Amino acid sequence: MSKITGLSRRQLLLSSSIVSVSVLLAGAASATPVPAPQSAVTSTQTGDVVVSNVEFKKNDITLAGNVYYPKWFNRNQKYAAIVVVHPGGGVKEQTAGLYARKLAEEGFVTLAFDAAHQGASGGLPRFVDDPMKRVGDIYSAVDYLVSLPYVDAERIGALGVCAGSGTTVKAAMTERRIKALGTVSAVDVGAATRKGWDGKAPESALIETLDAVAKQRSAEATGAAPVYVNYVPKIGDTTAPRDLQEAADYYLTPRGQHPNSTNQMLMTSISTLASFTGFEGAETFLTQPLLMVAGSEAGSLWHSQELHAKAASEAKELFIIDGATHMDLYDGDGSSIAARKLAPFFMSNL
């Protein structure tokens, strides 16, 4: 087990707001893994929806995605399309794919994809989490959608889940091809890193963690093996906030577990997370229709409230599901309620 020089696991838990992004445990250093292989193009039927795995380029990196086609799809027609962005630590087959399928059932062409350096997508080193790079992934996903002859380039929307919301919001400010924007359990991962999961931690508490990251970056620059940290805590770790305990139940059990979602992030990514400002500029540049869905019991609710107050969008709504936590919206009844709200929103605005 690798040790983070100058910073114990207990210090990470107690003195640092990095708990906000579920970075709770130091992982073992190991050789850089290779991307999971993308299989040959195949299509499968899921209820009334057909799913095809696809690949598209982000500069020299190949991104892996799944396109969901609605019932009675006709490639000679034009469809509104929605790109769905997964949470940090997630992959396209988890909650992003669930929302993509639910929206395809309502008549949209949808695309869920793995971020660069994650899942079945390319990009080295593996398990980099740089939110601004993920913003670039979204640009490339929109590039791919507009290249499809059956997608109406003037009717493209975007939906982000958890940390995928923060990057989607950031992308939508400057990606004007996105005409409508939805969020589910939104998190600006930069603000969460600096302020803690509940938004109440002193930002200065992060400095000790950043000092440790600096030492690790120098060590790797001189040949040391990389160190990985986990996104979610171990099941049963009651020192973590409730939402993150529930995240462990989702990601680490058959409920949402996927072999490409390995619960690993390069420790040095903490500095890029800390520097991200997902909602900065929303008061000027976020003008598209906006729907935010969040649970009343979510420790992350403050992100959606902040975005609702800040966004320049004339048409904006914060829809709160009473009694729901952050993770309740990843699957089950919570996702069904959210999807029933999101579908008419996108129908009206695309």
Side-chain angles (χ1 to χ4, degrees):
M1 181 67 69
S2 292
K3 183 179 179 182
I4 301 175
T5 304
L7 191 69
S8 70
R9 173 179 177 265
R10 193 66 183 165
Q11 285 173 303
L12 274 173
L13 288 168
L14 296 180
S15 66
S16 171
S17 64
I18 200 62
V19 72
S20 61
V21 288
S22 314
V23 181
L24 297 172
L25 307 174
S30 61
T32 302
V34 298
Q38 177 72 57
S39 59
V41 175
T42 59
S43 294
T44 58
Q45 186 90 25
T46 303
D48 291 333
V49 173
V50 173
V51 187
S52 293
N53 62 281
V54 300
E55 293 181 340
F56 55 96
K57 285 290 190 179
K58 175 194 175 183
N59 300 322
D60 60 345
I61 296 176
T62 299
L63 302 184
N66 287 330
V67 175
Y68 294 73
Y69 300 95
K71 187 177 183 180
W72 311 124
F73 171 75
N74 182 341
R75 62 180 53 249
N76 294 318
Q77 295 181 6
K78 292 282 190 179
Y79 294 83
I82 301 168
V83 57
V84 185
V85 183
H86 65 69
V91 292
K92 62 186 181 298
E93 291 85 2
Q94 295 170 323
T95 187
L98 176 64
Y99 277 98
R101 177 176 62 78
K102 287 179 178 292
L103 291 170
E105 289 171 351
E106 300 298 329
F108 299 97
V109 169
T110 60
L111 168 65
F113 69 96
D114 289 335
H117 308 274
Q118 313 291 324
S121 288
L124 294 174
R126 302 304 292 166
F127 309 126
V128 170
D129 195 336
D130 183 335
M132 283 308 298
K133 287 185 177 180
R134 296 197 183 203
V135 169
D137 295 344
I138 296 168
Y139 294 162
S140 296
V142 176
D143 289 343
Y144 175 71
L145 285 176
V146 300
S147 75
L148 300 176
Y150 44 82
V151 167
D152 185 340
E154 297 302 315
R155 293 193 294 151
I156 292 178
L159 172 65
V161 183
C162 188
S165 293
T167 52
T168 305
V169 166
K170 195 70 169 180
M173 292 187 211
T174 49
E175 178 51 271
R176 308 306 293 181
R177 293 175 296 179
I178 295 175
K179 304 301 184 184
L181 175 63
T183 68
V184 171
S185 294
V187 170
D188 172 354
V189 73
T193 302
R194 295 185 297 272
K195 300 178 182 180
W197 184 256
D198 63 3
K200 298 176 182 178
E203 295 190 33
S204 59
L206 184 60
I207 293 173
E208 189 175 10
T209 301
L210 293 175
D211 286 340
V213 171
K215 291 178 182 178
Q216 178 59 27
R217 191 176 296 278
S218 292
E220 291 180 21
T222 55
V227 167
Y228 301 92
V229 292
N230 292 347
Y231 278 96
V232 301
K234 291 181 179 179
I235 295 171
D237 183 351
T238 57
T239 64
R242 175 186 176 184
D243 288 326
L244 303 186
Q245 294 180 51
E246 293 181 358
D249 178 70
Y250 178 84
Y251 283 107
L252 304 180
T253 74
R255 174 185 167 193
Q257 200 169 35
H258 190 276
N260 285 352
S261 178
T262 60
N263 197 29
Q264 293 183 90
M265 181 185 77
L266 279 173
M267 177 191 170
T268 51
S269 292
I270 293 171
S271 57
T272 60
L273 295 174
S275 65
F276 184 63
T277 53
F279 299 164
E280 183 180 50
E283 64 276 15
T284 300
F285 296 107
L286 189 61
T287 61
Q288 299 96 322
L290 172 65
L291 172 63
M292 296 143 284
V293 184
S296 66
E297 302 305 308
S300 58
L301 177 59
W302 61 279
H303 295 275
S304 296
Q305 293 169 328
E306 179 182 319
L307 181 60
H308 182 253
K310 182 176 285 191
S313 309
E314 291 185 7
K316 59 181 177 180
E317 179 183 358
L318 172 55
F319 179 71
I320 297 178
I321 300 176
D322 188 47
T325 64
H326 181 91
M327 297 303 301
D328 283 341
L329 306 192
Y330 276 49
D331 57 3
D333 291 342
S335 67
S336 296
I337 295 169
R340 286 198 295 269
K341 183 70 176 180
L342 287 159
F345 164 77
F346 282 118
M347 288 177 185
S348 297
N349 292 289
L350 293 181

